[in-house]
């Protein structure tokens, strides 16, 4: 069955996270994903809190913008959370929105180069390796984690993956080469997922990683409730899409489950329902995903 998650959007005040995470955990949702969008909320701080407040919920960050983050610190924080909550925490790295990176004084000339260097170094550090590298942006001198995550990553072990956020051809091929999985944002329609899978596989083949599992996580813009269609239209408009035909789904559980099946058939391994920025009931949204949509995915279409 397709793994199902939901997003706690950073437009929701951080003090609301506890009730949303607990609602997701109690309702049986598979995953809760968080964003480190500028200038809302920290990804690591919110992930640590969500993990501590829950018992079984898997928590992912999609994404940490690498221009804001020191490579060694990202590896240290990731390793700490993986040791504290084995198998429940996955991290995603992305090159960030360049306008925001400029506002923060962190913009770089080659975001793709920086993302590659950070992916390679962070994954090596999490494997317990001692890393010395003199890259264009990442420079490490004999760095090794004293407390790397216990054990090596096994194929299919969700919590050990390092994801990359990607959209363009270069970034998608890079993700196939240097990451364990890819996060595709809600602007990606089913045909875009199929295209992404092809480009990712090209990268995997070029790096000799064709036998490795590479998980695709797809964010599916979703609205439910009496004003669902209007809210989804407004969301599509904000993102520059056709308000009537852009990506996303609005409707009841059966309608949403059908949309989940469609993007899964296009190549998504995990589908994460992304509420609209003005979702009025975040706790209700995660319960809807877990209690109404998820059971339908276990049944034949």
């Amino acid at each position: 069955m397709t793994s199902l998650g939901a997003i706690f959007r950073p437009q929701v005040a951080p003090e609301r996270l506890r009730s949303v995470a607990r609602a997701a955990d109690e309702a049986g949702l598979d995953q809760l994903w968080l964003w480190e969008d500028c200038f809302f909320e920290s990804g690591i701080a919110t992930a640590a809190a969500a993990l501590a407040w829950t018992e079984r919920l898997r928590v992912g960050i999609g994404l940490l913008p690498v221009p804001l983050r020191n490579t060694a610190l990202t590896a240290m924080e990731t390793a700490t959370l993986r040791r504290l909550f084995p198998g429940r925490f996955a991290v995603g790295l992305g090159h960030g929105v360049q306008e925001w990176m400029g506002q923060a004084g962190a913009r770089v000339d080659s975001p793709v180069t920086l993302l590659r260097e950070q992916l390679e170094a962070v994954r090596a550090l999490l494997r317990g390796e001692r890393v010395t590298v003199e890259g264009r942006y990442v420079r490490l001198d004999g760095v090794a984690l004293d407390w790397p995550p216990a054990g090596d990553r096994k194929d299919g072990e969700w919590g050990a993956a390092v994801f990359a956020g990607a959209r363009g051809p270069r970034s998608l091929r890079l993700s196939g080469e240097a990451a364990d999985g890819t996060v595709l944002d809600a602007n990606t329609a089913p045909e875009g997922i199929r295209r992404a899978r092809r480009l990712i596989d090209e990268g995997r083949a070029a790096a000799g990683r064709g036998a490795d599992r590479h998980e695709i996580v797809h964010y599916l813009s979703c609205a439910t409730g009496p004003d669902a269609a209007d809210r989804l239209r407004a969301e599509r408009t904000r993102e520059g899409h056709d308000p009537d035909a852009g990506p996303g789904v609005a409707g009841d559980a059966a309608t949403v489950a059908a949309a989940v099946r469609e993007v899964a058939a296009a190549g998504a391994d995990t589908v994460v329902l992304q509420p609209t920025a003005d979702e009025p009931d975040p706790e209700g949204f995660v319960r809807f995903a877990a209690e109404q949509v998820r059971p339908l995915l276990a049944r034949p279409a």
Side-chain angles (χ1 to χ4, degrees), residues 132-145:
T132 295
V133 62
E134 186 71 24
R136 180 173 178 181
Y137 299 108
V138 175
R139 297 174 178 84
L140 300 172
D141 182 9
V143 175
L145 300 179

Side-chain angles (χ1 to χ4, degrees), residues 4-9 24 29-34 58 219 271-275 282 285-286 289:
L4 187 69
I7 293 172
F8 177 86
R9 291 187 62 147
L29 191 65
D30 298 327
Q31 304 178 18
L32 185 70
W33 283 75
L34 309 166
R58 293 180 291 178
Y219 293 164
V271 180
V272 183
L273 301 182
Q274 177 177 309
F285 184 86
V286 298

Side-chain angles (χ1 to χ4, degrees), residues 82 123 126-127 149-163 179-181 209 212-215:
R82 287 189 176 167
R123 290 179 67 242
L126 294 175
R127 290 193 299 264
D152 295 328
R153 177 179 182 267
K154 300 178 179 62
D155 191 40
E157 183 184 348
W158 183 87
V162 176
F163 290 85
D180 302 305
R209 300 187 64 196
D212 295 346
R213 181 175 185 268
H214 189 102
E215 180 177 355

Side-chain angles (χ1 to χ4, degrees), residues 73-85 89 125-126 145 147-150:
L73 181 60
T74 296
M76 290 162 59
E77 291 177 324
T78 300
T80 299
L81 288 178
R82 287 189 176 167
R83 291 187 71 106
L84 289 171
F85 306 100
F89 174 61
L125 289 167
L126 294 175
L145 300 179
W147 296 103

Side-chain angles (χ1 to χ4, degrees), residues 1 261 294-301:
M1 187 178 79
R261 291 193 185 97
R294 190 172 182 273
L296 296 178
L297 300 177
R299 304 174 190 170

Side-chain angles (χ1 to χ4, degrees), residues 92-108:
L93 307 180
H95 46 57
V97 177
Q98 295 312 293
E99 180 182 354
W100 295 343
M101 298 303 100
Q103 285 182 270
R107 187 165 186 163
V108 298

Side-chain angles (χ1 to χ4, degrees), residues 160-190:
V162 176
F163 290 85
R167 183 183 292 176
R170 288 181 63 203
S171 296
L172 288 164
R173 291 190 184 96
L174 167 60
S175 185
E177 292 178 42
D180 302 305
T182 301
V183 177
L184 300 177
D185 67 25
N187 294 299
T188 312

